[in-house]
Amino acid sequence: MAAHLSYGRVNLNVLREAVRRELREFLDKCAGSKEHEVEKMFTLKGSRLPAADVKNIIFFVRPRLELMDIIAENVLSEDRRGPARDFHILFVPRRSLLCEQRLKDLGVLGSFIHREEYSLDLIPFDGDLLSMESEGAFKECYLESDQTSLYHAAKGLMTLQALYGTIPQIFGKGECARYLPCLMGLPFPPFQERHNAKTVGEIKQFVSQLPHMQAARGSLANHTSIAELIKDVTTSEDFFDKLTVEQEFMSGIDTDKVNSYIEDCIAQKHPLIKVLRLVCLQSVCNSGLKQKVLDYYKREILQTYGYEHILTLYNLEKAGLLKPQMGGRNNYPTIRKTLRLWMDDVNEQNPTDISYVYSGYAPLSVRLAQLLSRPGWRSIEEVLRILPGPHFEERQPLPTGLQKKRQPGENRVTLIFFLGGVTFAEIAALRFLSQLEDGGTEYVIATTKLMNGASWIESLMEKPF
Amino acid sequence: MDCYTANWNPLGDSAFYRKYELYSMDWDLKEELRDCLVAAAPYGGPIALLRNPWRKEKAASIRPVLEIYSASGLPLASLLWKSGPVVSLGWSAEEELLCVQEDGVVLVYGLHGDFRRHFSMGNEVLQNRVLDARIFHTEFGSGVAILTGAHRFTLSANVGDLKLRRMPEVPGLQSAPSCWTTLCQDRVAHILLAVGPDLYLLDHAACSAVTPPGLAPGVSSFLQMAVSFTYRHLALFTDTGYIWMGTASLKEKLCEFNCNIRAPPKQMVWCSRPRSKERAVVVAWERRLMVVGDAPESIQFVLDEDSYLVPELDGVRIFSCSTHEFLHEVPVASEEIFKIASMAPGALLLEAQKEYEKESQKADEYLREIQELGHLTQAVQQCIEAAGHEHQPDMQKSLLRAASFGKCFLDRFPPDSFVRMCQDLRVLNAIRDYHIGIPLTYSQYKQLTIQVLLDRLVLRRLYPLAIQICEYLRLPEVQGVSRILAHWACYKVQQKDVSDEDVARAINQKLGDTPGVSYSDIAARAYGCGRTELAIKLLEYEPRSGEQVPLLLKMKRSKLALSKAIESGDTDLVFTVLLHLKNELNRGDFFMTLRNQPMALSLYRQFCKHQELETLKDLYNQDDNHQELGSFHIRASYAAEERIEGRVAALQMAADAFYKAKNEFAAKATEDQMRLLRLQRRLEDELGGHFVDLSLHDTVTTLVLGGHSKRAEQLARDFRIPDKRLWWLKLTALADLEDWEELEKFSKSKKSPIGYLVVPALRLRRSQLLYVCQGGGGARLCTLKGI
């Protein structure tokens, strides 16, 4: 048991155990015995496999074509090397015909004794946090219209439902989100498991947390070191300058002209990701940039960082992060005001609002979640309509026997699924809401990828050489 | 109680055998059994008869007829035999009838006389004809062993996975063996055969002569041999009327018996019970049945009519024209309870309960007696166990009542064994019913398992009973009711006289959305029967669109399959269909199909990006997607071409595409890039060093660093680099060069576009922190050292 997964309202150890069992079954099948003596583990790399005195070699891979080429290379060089080994391949989280076709084309498909899938869609990271760790999800959905990751997300949700019971109400915002319930419109497994820990269950859970608390003490040192490292960054002048500009944009100051800090960053050839982030932020906070401003930035970027980045810039435009202002008015101030996205008086020591996570900016996604739980989205219909993508509500009927009345004082549990990724600050904001005494809602977070502003932009970049 | 043991026959001192009637048969046979080929499946299975098997005439009236009956004699099928002469019949473990023809072809029929398939036992068998054949069962399945006219054996240990094995020759064998059988040792099938006084064991490699230990002298021929149900024991009947019983490995003799009958018996089979120490064989002649074992006396029965023996796990079934009986060793629990004057705890408890019903105080006496000895738990267990071995429901009930009565006086008797026995007996009584006709004993039922029993009910198309049993035993739907309904539906689609609409509706009404029922499986069956339209109708009920796809593809409804795959959201499934379509359609049609399915189109583009770049270009062209086409050429300019001219040409195509896309910015930028690329090439030629693929900014920087200020200035002017950035560029480059003088000169040369600021300059070397302080009077440089 992993203690850190069982402290939340939803015991994610149940999920962990379920997927572990699946893995064990596969290992049993490969090794043909009950013992899973894993001799060595290697990262997938080209050419030959490192030497190891083993009978079975199992490849754990995402179903991506480029990985198939590496595997084929491994297998072929192994075949030349000598004593026959048994190869197996386990696709995570789904088998792929294309990949198998590729292996076939490379002449190694027959070398695998077992070819199966390991439906590890959602990986538990913490007691309230699940991630698919699918880096490409945002890019695939928005740039390539490839909904594979949505399908996997739906499967992951189905698994959660099978383990923890049907989700009675589903709210969503955005094109991809709208598509998800359609994918889940499958017949649900008939059984239910409820974890309304009370009395004995609660005590057991508490006991199971004890080792966790001891471990927590041990990790205090780690956290202190991490905090020190973070502090080095956050106290630097550069960080401060950048934050100032970000905050100016988010509070709507001078978003319509070329920003001199960005200009300087380009001139000094600061990391491209930083520049792109700022330009995108300005574009979003201004509902698009004036054509002249946009072209200026783009030209500066191409001249400084290289013309190949025209592909990246196009990706950002396609994703809507960078765009010319199309007549119309700038909606951002309305959104900011209605949803109180900017708070001037932030108390970072004893926060009273989620805006503390960005020292002023309240993440939009989390604000929407907060408003959904109280007073409900009906109160913000108008602003919801300005935000991109449809919003919706779906209900899944529960058999009357399973409709559970919440006890007074018992919090509602809400699972928030961030398609495309969730940032660490958003997680912090939701955890803040979970901990509010009068919040009434505890959040479980699921996502396609844990990320931050930089890794998100990076996933949209394209390097042709 | 007095007469209850009337049909018990002692064999030696320690065992009783009893024979009781299972059914009276009114199957109205037209022939004597001896005129038929007979095969009866174990585990209370069906009986097959082939009448007139040896007639060669073509006249229809006396053609062979194959009839199949339930164990209770209900007709299940009857068909005229139109194929070749049959040598032997036998049932497989799946209750399929195997008919071995003289030419070595084996025809396989279902329980209802439906032809399933056929296979051949090979050329050698075909040439030499089949003299004799046996169907036998192993842990792998059902096998066939053939003795050919050339006195050679061929066998297949599993007809489900036919691998023919020709056994080695028996040296000097001139005539057919007097008797033979298949043995199964160490998971390998062997053949044991008798030729005159000699026995030979054939395995796949060799033929070896064997001698049974302790065989009485004077044997000149073996007339019969019998292997037990579990292949553990072997019995040999000799021409001296002597019976040898021992282990099948021929290593140990268990006992022997001399029956003094020299006539060859019609049948000889083992009659033993699992976990019993008693060993006995049942030998049948025309009118006589004998049970012999390790006892000086045998048990003898008179056979009123022509009878046939069916060995079972725990006894022998004996059927004739009019009756069907079961002969077995009385189980221990029953013996303890019912043996005359038994004082076993179970016997006392049964008495106590009877007295209790009579409201007699003796009940208390008996009960006390058991309790004082502390045997009550054992008594209850005995009664429960004995109930399981009783065939008559009345006797089952009184034993269970006794157990239930005894339970009341026990504090902690776990109820499951009692409850389970009640349930099991209810199931057993239901299937033993004459109309169902599966006379399983409790031991057989446990060995067979409920899952297999349900399969057998399904095979007999007894769907309602199977469902009732599932519901009664509360089996999970997926294993139980759903599975049976699915089987029913698969049967239903074969009813050709019912219209597609009616069949589809009937199936949907009954199945609804029962969990675990796969409409696509049923549809696949319908398609298998040639009913494509019905299959499509049934697929409509399949809630998981993904499940519909494989069958639709098989039925060549690829476009429908594509929309279903898209509906499912399973992108891998969409790819499956796409690759299918790509092979099926010509390129134009394929592209048209894609055009109407945006999701499929984008997936296919992804595929092309990795696999077929040229096709990707065609797709963009088809859609007039000039923007993407532009990006495509940009990528191509990096990927394919090494030579500058090739790269410039690719970029030119990109620029053209961008113009067409009305993306002036991108077009101009690409033209700038072409210009830069040519220039970089020239710089490399003239100055050496590396320029190609540097950004404009880095190109200028490199020039400055190389001391080519003029060229740098020129380039900056050509590409209209803003002053501010150029100033920064130079500042940084000079700082890198640590050319402080030049830097100072430069900063004083004209008014800095950066304005008044204090900037930590970049790329500090040797821990020198450099500040450029620029005020009204020009720039001042200071280093940390200086401060």
Side-chain angles (χ1 to χ4, degrees), chain B residues 53-292:
Chain B
W54 302 286
R55 302 288 183 100
K56 300 259 161 141
E57 296 93 330
K58 293 273 188 295
S61 59
I62 45 170
R63 275 239 190 101
V65 178
L66 178 65
E67 289 173 334
I68 299 172
Y69 295 92
S70 75
S72 58
L74 290 181
L76 296 175
S78 170
L79 55 140
L80 264 186
W81 189 259
K82 291 176 184 163
S83 311
V86 176
V87 177
S88 183
L89 295 180
W91 291 93
S92 75
E94 293 81 29
E95 296 199 324
E96 285 181 325
L97 182 64
L98 309 178
C99 310
V100 186
Q101 292 191 149
E102 205 180 25
D103 57 2
V105 172
V106 180
L107 298 147
V108 184
Y109 286 86
L111 204 60
H112 295 275
D114 44 319
F115 176 73
R116 295 276 169 84
R117 62 183 190 280
H118 69 88
F119 58 87
S120 163
M121 292 300 288
N123 259 337
E124 201 266 338
V125 176
L126 172 67
Q127 274 160 23
N128 296 315
R129 319 306 281 177
V130 177
L131 209 59
D132 195 4
R134 300 282 154 81
I135 281 84
F136 59 98
H137 305 280
T138 68
E139 55 196 287
F140 308 113
S142 306
V144 178
I146 302 267
L147 170 64
T148 68
H151 310 311
R152 290 288 297 267
F153 289 91
T154 294
L155 67 79
S156 162
N158 180 6
V159 295
D161 173 23
L162 197 69
K163 285 191 188 100
L164 294 177
R165 224 172 48 194
R166 195 162 175 229
M167 304 302 269
E169 205 171 348
V170 182
L173 184 62
Q174 293 301 319
S175 59
S178 58
C179 57
W180 62 279
T181 187
T182 50
L183 292 177
C184 202
Q185 282 169 356
D186 304 329
R187 305 156 68 109
V188 183
H190 304 276
I191 296 224
L192 181 70
L193 67 148
V195 184
D198 303 316
L199 288 175
Y200 297 97
L201 188 66
L202 298 180
D203 59 24
H204 54 281
C207 166
S208 39
V210 284
T211 320
L215 184 77
V219 175
S220 57
S221 169
F222 294 90
L223 302 181
Q224 265 293 359
M225 52 177 75
V227 190
S228 67
F229 204 78
T230 52
Y231 288 102
R232 223 170 280 156
H233 301 118
L234 175 74
L236 302 165
F237 190 100
T238 71
D239 58 345
T240 52
Y242 165 85
I243 303 169
W244 181 92
M245 288 171 263
T247 56
S249 57
L250 286 164
K251 289 202 173 111
E252 195 186 331
K253 183 169 86 172
L254 293 169
C255 54
E256 58 186 6
F257 185 82
N258 205 326
C259 70
N260 295 319
I261 302 172
R262 284 159 184 263
K266 261 177 61 189
Q267 270 184 292
M268 177 168 77
V269 299
W270 280 87
C271 177
S272 50
R273 208 163 43 74
R275 285 183 296 281
S276 163
K277 288 200 183 74
E278 300 299 323
R279 313 279 170 230
V281 290
V282 179
V283 196
W285 288 269
E286 206 63 37
R287 285 286 174 261
R288 192 203 298 263
L289 190 75
M290 201 182 267
V291 184
V292 304

Side-chain angles (χ1 to χ4, degrees), chain B residues 24 78 101 256 300 338 695 766:
Chain B
S24 70
S78 170
Q101 292 191 149
E256 58 186 6
Q300 304 221 12
F338 294 114
S695 75
R766 289 187 226 138

Side-chain angles (χ1 to χ4, degrees), chain B residues 485-510:
Chain B
L485 281 174
H487 278 296
W488 165 80
C490 288
Y491 167 60
K492 190 83 189 162
V493 298
Q494 296 168 33
Q495 295 181 337
K496 303 237 162 158
D497 47 335
V498 189
S499 76
D500 291 345
E501 284 78 19
D502 291 348
V503 173
R505 204 179 314 116
I507 288 175
N508 184 238
Q509 266 170 11
K510 197 143 282 179

Side-chain angles (χ1 to χ4, degrees), chain B residues 422-702:
Chain B
C422 291
Q423 289 177 337
D424 287 341
L425 282 175
R426 189 135 183 228
V427 171
L428 282 174
N429 290 336
I431 57 159
R432 285 169 186 168
D433 185 279
Y434 177 81
H435 295 99
I436 309 299
I438 306 180
L440 282 185
T441 64
Y442 179 78
S443 314
Q444 292 165 17
Y445 166 65
K446 284 290 147 182
Q447 179 75 20
L448 197 62
T449 73
I450 182 70
Q451 258 65 35
V452 178
L453 175 61
L454 288 172
D455 285 345
R456 297 199 160 181
L457 292 176
V458 164
L459 271 184
R460 286 163 176 72
R461 297 177 193 154
L462 297 168
Y463 305 105
L465 176 64
I467 288 174
Q468 275 170 5
I469 290 178
C470 294
E471 286 172 350
Y472 175 65
L473 295 179
R474 301 209 186 118
L475 297 182
E477 274 188 329
V478 177
Q479 294 169 30
V481 175
S482 306
R483 200 164 57 102
I484 288 153
L485 281 174
H487 278 296
W488 165 80
C490 288
Y491 167 60
K492 190 83 189 162
V493 298
Q494 296 168 33
Q495 295 181 337
K496 303 237 162 158
D497 47 335
V498 189
S499 76
D500 291 345
E501 284 78 19
D502 291 348
V503 173
R505 204 179 314 116
I507 288 175
N508 184 238
Q509 266 170 11
K510 197 143 282 179
L511 272 62
D513 41 12
T514 317
V517 166
S518 160
Y519 277 97
S520 46
D521 286 353
I522 303 167
R525 184 64 69 93
Y527 176 64
C529 303
R531 298 179 75 165
T532 310
E533 288 309 312
L534 175 60
I536 291 174
K537 282 197 169 59
L538 286 167
L539 278 182
E540 292 293 315
Y541 296 118
E542 173 63 63
R544 295 159 299 175
S545 359
E547 297 289 310
Q548 308 176 3
V549 172
L551 185 59
L552 286 171
L553 282 182
K554 214 165 148 192
M555 299 194 297
K556 304 227 182 315
R557 307 285 164 121
S558 317
K559 287 183 190 173
L560 188 56
L562 183 60
S563 26
K564 293 291 179 191
I566 291 170
E567 219 172 86
S568 79
D570 181 347
T571 42
D572 197 50
L573 200 60
V574 178
F575 273 125
T576 313
V577 182
L578 280 179
L579 296 184
H580 212 94
L581 276 171
K582 194 179 154 211
N583 291 333
E584 199 174 279
L585 303 175
N586 66 43
R587 203 174 162 88
D589 288 348
F590 178 56
F591 279 15
M592 274 316 286
T593 311
L594 284 181
R595 230 181 160 159
N596 299 324
Q597 299 281 10
M599 180 213 181
L601 178 58
S602 27
L603 283 178
Y604 190 64
R605 276 200 209 108
Q606 284 309 105
F607 168 77
C608 292
K609 221 176 234 180
H610 290 287
Q611 307 268 45
E612 293 178 17
L613 277 175
E614 278 309 299
T615 315
L616 183 65
K617 199 168 75 182
D618 295 347
L619 281 171
Y620 289 142
N621 264 323
Q622 175 191 269
D623 295 344
D624 291 332
N625 192 339
H626 299 295
Q627 174 64 41
E628 289 291 356
L629 213 49
S631 299
F632 176 88
H633 289 302
I634 296 272
R635 277 183 212 108
S637 80
Y638 287 100
E641 285 288 347
E642 283 291 319
R643 291 172 308 114
I644 289 298
E645 280 323 304
R647 294 187 54 176
V648 169
L651 289 173
Q652 184 62 58
M653 282 195 273
D656 293 348
F658 287 138
Y659 275 122
K660 279 190 198 155
K662 302 208 166 33
N663 186 344
E664 198 115 340
F665 177 88
K668 287 254 155 50
T670 308
E671 282 168 353
D672 282 351
Q673 188 186 358
M674 290 154 60
R675 201 145 57 90
L676 178 65
L677 202 56
R678 286 206 185 97
L679 220 137
Q680 287 171 329
R681 164 95 294 172
R682 219 163 45 232
L683 287 175
E684 284 186 3
D685 289 346
E686 290 170 16
L687 307 175
H690 173 70
F691 284 96
V692 169
D693 279 335
L694 290 183
S695 75
L696 175 62
H697 189 96
D698 293 347
T699 310
V700 177
T701 304
T702 312

Side-chain angles (χ1 to χ4, degrees), chain B residues 19-62:
Chain B
K19 184 161 71 96
Y20 56 83
E21 189 179 70
L22 297 169
Y23 303 108
S24 70
M25 307 285 273
D26 50 358
W27 50 357
D28 196 21
L29 292 186
K30 293 183 185 65
E31 310 271 334
E32 288 288 324
L33 283 177
R34 73 170 76 85
D35 295 330
C36 302
L37 273 182
V38 184
Y43 292 99
I47 301 169
L49 302 176
L50 186 64
R51 291 194 321 207
N52 310 326
W54 302 286
R55 302 288 183 100
K56 300 259 161 141
E57 296 93 330
K58 293 273 188 295
S61 59
I62 45 170

